[in-house]
Amino acid sequence: MKRGLIFIFLWMFVFGFSQSKLTVINEAKGTPIPNAIISCNDKFLGKTDDNGFLEFKSKCKSIQIKAANYFKESAIVEDEMTVTLINTSSKTQSIETVILEDKSDPKALEILRKVNQFFKSNSPQSLDSYTYKSYDKISLDIDQDSISVYTEIFNNNFNLFKKQKAKDSVNDVSARRIFSKSKLFLWERAQEYLYSKKYGEKVNILDNRISGLKQPIYELIALQGNRDKIPEQIKPENRGLYRFYLTDTIEVEGRKNFVIRFREVSYKKNVKRRKFSGYLYIDIDTYGIKKIESISKDKNDGNITSTWIFFNNKWFLSEESVKLRMSRMMMNNTESTENSENHLKKHKNSFGTYAYLSSKYFDYESPIEENQKDFKGYTFTVKNADGKTLQKYRTEPLSDREKNTYFVIDSLGKNTM
């Protein structure tokens, strides 16, 4: 099992150096920007030519683009990239920059103060009892928009990959083969939540299956997202990490909401964790959290969304969706000898890989009949772990790639154990 896990989680480190093509243009005019400086962690990679074009090699996941009289921009490294820069004379960007460097909007902070003040009374655990279920799906895969292109390139170059086994690791070729038909990793989980003021909380794992593993990873079972806890962006102790601005009021599902924009404060020193910006939707009547949208500061880096539903006058978590950039996979064709013209016409051959999380909550009931025996034992109890009953809880059918993941990865796991 350990050998199988090592293969699954270390595959991303074998796809390193690759060649990228970048075009930098003026966002307002659509014209190329020459002499734009491209760097990675303060290391100079090159300058764009008169056509705003630069071809470079780098192991970096993201780059910084800087040009005279333009605002600095960053971007995730892809095989082919087009980055737009905004001129410093842009009134919109100038106003936004002043705002972002200012302190948080006092009105937004007052709303957040009330969100924290009423969080317990808005929480489901202020009820005497309740129950609901959830279905979670976690996977590692190529960006959904790139799947068809990846499959085509892999099929066209499969014979080449077989010839390259002497040069490339077997794991390298195997990982490419897996991605042509399935995801690299898939984990499904169905849970039942029980709560009683008298007996506490109980979480039953109704069913659970992880591709390639016969036993569940119990450390992962305890992951619960924003369920029944104050989100990081709203905690009072994190006020110094974000800037908040009240931007609008809108109606969502028949209820009026404040819309608050937030972003992380820009630090002079490098910060390892991802920087997100996004929006908070706060119910005007109850100051309960309706929705949080977090969007990556760097293009294509990922997004996180949590949504709540108003049930029995409380705010229950309804849905969570996470997409986070993991690494870049390169489909090399080292045996080809192409001239510069053919090289420019070559298909896109590097692909971003992502971790995906999708959680859906349903079957809310409150109050419930409280039976002490239902709350005995550990907080988390695994009732089933073979995946045979997951069909009862799936909120939508598995895709063909997801179905293939169980077959392909489970077969691979047997061969490596």
Side-chain angles (χ1 to χ4, degrees):
M1 182 186 299
K2 289 184 178 179
R3 291 172 61 191
L5 282 173
I6 290 173
F7 167 74
I8 291 174
F9 290 105
L10 295 185
W11 65 272
M12 62 189 68
F13 294 102
V14 301
F15 308 107
F17 254 110
S18 58
Q19 192 158 276
S20 299
K21 293 180 285 186
L22 170 69
T23 302
V24 182
I25 62 175
N26 183 310
E27 183 174 272
K29 300 179 180 179
T31 54
I33 300 177
N35 298 318
I37 298 174
I38 315 303
S39 62
C40 171
N41 298 327
D42 297 325
K43 180 180 178 180
F44 177 77
L45 298 178
K47 286 186 178 183
T48 56
D49 59 19
D50 291 340
N51 296 317
F53 179 80
L54 174 68
E55 194 165 352
F56 65 92
K57 290 185 177 181
S58 175
K59 292 189 294 185
C60 293
K61 291 185 178 181
S62 64
I63 56 172
Q64 292 73 50
I65 304 96
K66 183 169 59 176
N69 301 319
Y70 290 89
F71 288 98
K72 185 177 180 180
E73 181 62 271
S74 59
I76 295 298
V77 174
E78 299 285 357
D79 184 61
E80 295 182 2
M81 299 172 286
T82 299
V83 176
T84 59
L85 299 185
I86 299 176
N87 194 286
T88 52
S89 63
S90 169
K91 293 182 179 181
T92 301
Q93 181 69 23
S94 298
I95 293 172
E96 183 181 13
T97 301
V98 172
I99 293 176
L100 295 180
E101 291 177 351
D102 198 2
K103 296 181 179 180
S104 295
D105 178 0
K107 293 180 180 179
L109 293 180
E110 176 61 20
I111 292 171
L112 295 181
R113 186 188 68 80
K114 291 184 178 180
V115 170
N116 282 278
Q117 177 184 344
F118 295 111
F119 184 81
K120 288 186 177 180
S121 60
N122 280 319
S123 169
Q125 292 195 356
S126 63
L127 296 169
D128 291 333
S129 63
Y130 63 76
T131 182
Y132 58 91
K133 298 181 180 69
S134 72
Y135 168 73
D136 308 305
K137 185 163 57 179
I138 300 173
S139 63
L140 289 176
D141 199 7
I142 298 170
D143 185 19
Q144 302 300 304
D145 295 333
S146 303
I147 289 174
S148 61
V149 177
Y150 179 93
T151 302
E152 179 184 355
I153 293 177
F154 178 86
N155 291 336
N156 290 340
N157 293 279
F158 181 65
N159 290 330
L160 170 65
F161 291 144
K162 289 196 293 185
K163 293 178 182 178
Q164 286 183 314
K165 281 187 178 180
K167 304 175 184 177
D168 299 340
S169 69
V170 175
N171 283 356
D172 189 341
V173 178
S174 298
R176 288 167 174 159
R177 184 201 298 267
I178 290 169
F179 268 133
S180 69
K181 296 182 179 179
S182 75
K183 299 189 175 188
L184 189 69
F185 175 79
L186 177 63
W187 173 32
E188 291 182 278
R189 176 179 64 180
Q191 299 183 107
E192 177 187 43
Y193 303 88
L194 301 172
Y195 176 78
S196 164
K197 276 191 176 179
K198 184 176 181 180
Y199 302 117
E201 184 180 55
K202 180 73 172 180
V203 180
N204 295 317
I205 313 299
L206 300 174
D207 208 349
N208 176 64
R209 185 179 180 185
I210 301 178
S211 58
L213 302 176
K214 292 183 178 180
Q215 297 294 329
I217 302 175
Y218 290 95
E219 292 81 1
L220 295 179
I221 287 177
L223 295 176
Q224 300 297 321
N226 277 326
R227 191 183 68 86
D228 293 335
K229 69 178 184 180
I230 301 178
E232 294 296 321
Q233 297 91 339
I234 296 178
K235 289 182 179 179
E237 59 266 31
N238 289 338
R239 287 289 185 271
L241 300 179
Y242 300 93
R243 291 291 182 261
F244 301 91
Y245 308 96
L246 178 62
T247 60
D248 201 357
T249 58
I250 64 172
E251 188 171 298
V252 181
E253 297 177 356
R255 301 181 65 90
K256 290 184 178 180
N257 284 255
F258 295 115
V259 181
I260 297 175
R261 177 185 178 183
F262 67 90
R263 70 178 299 276
E264 285 197 30
V265 176
S266 297
Y267 292 93
K268 292 183 180 179
K269 60 181 181 179
N270 291 328
V271 180
K272 291 185 178 180
R273 76 177 137 190
R274 301 174 188 272
K275 295 182 177 182
F276 289 93
S277 60
Y279 293 86
L280 300 169
Y281 296 79
I282 307 299
D283 184 71
I284 290 179
D285 293 334
T286 64
Y287 288 96
I289 308 168
K290 171 59 184 176
K291 189 175 184 179
I292 296 179
E293 294 180 355
S294 296
I295 305 168
S296 169
K297 181 180 178 181
D298 288 327
K299 297 177 181 179
N300 301 321
D301 206 22
N303 53 72
I304 302 173
T305 302
S306 298
T307 306
W308 285 257
I309 187 172
F310 196 55
F311 174 78
N312 200 11
N313 295 317
K314 307 298 175 183
W315 289 97
F316 286 77
L317 188 60
S318 172
E319 183 175 351
E320 283 193 308
S321 176
V322 178
K323 176 184 176 182
L324 293 177
R325 179 68 175 263
M326 300 297 291
S327 66
R328 188 161 58 102
M329 184 185 222
M330 188 71 184
M331 299 277 283
N332 284 315
N333 187 338
T334 57
E335 288 194 357
S336 63
T337 56
E338 302 172 312
N339 58 37
S340 58
E341 181 179 357
N342 289 333
H343 181 72
L344 292 175
K345 294 180 180 180
K346 186 174 65 175
H347 284 294
K348 183 178 181 180
N349 63 354
S350 67
F351 301 86
T353 56
Y354 293 83
Y356 293 90
L357 165 65
S358 173
S359 298
K360 301 288 181 65
Y361 298 82
F362 50 91
D363 287 354
Y364 305 96
E365 293 183 27
S366 180
I368 61 173
E369 183 178 343
E370 301 173 52
N371 193 327
Q372 185 176 6
K373 69 177 183 179
D374 294 333
F375 295 85
K376 285 185 177 180
Y378 295 105
T379 300
F380 290 89
T381 299
V382 179
K383 290 184 173 289
N384 196 19
D386 57 14
K388 292 182 179 180
T389 64
L390 282 171
Q391 183 60 40
K392 294 167 52 178
Y393 309 106
R394 291 185 181 121
T395 53
E396 59 184 18
L398 293 180
S399 67
D400 289 339
R401 287 178 65 79
E402 289 168 338
K403 292 176 183 177
N404 288 339
T405 303
Y406 281 127
F407 175 76
V408 174
I409 304 298
D410 285 352
S411 299
L412 180 65
K414 291 178 182 178
N415 294 332
T416 57
M417 288 172 60

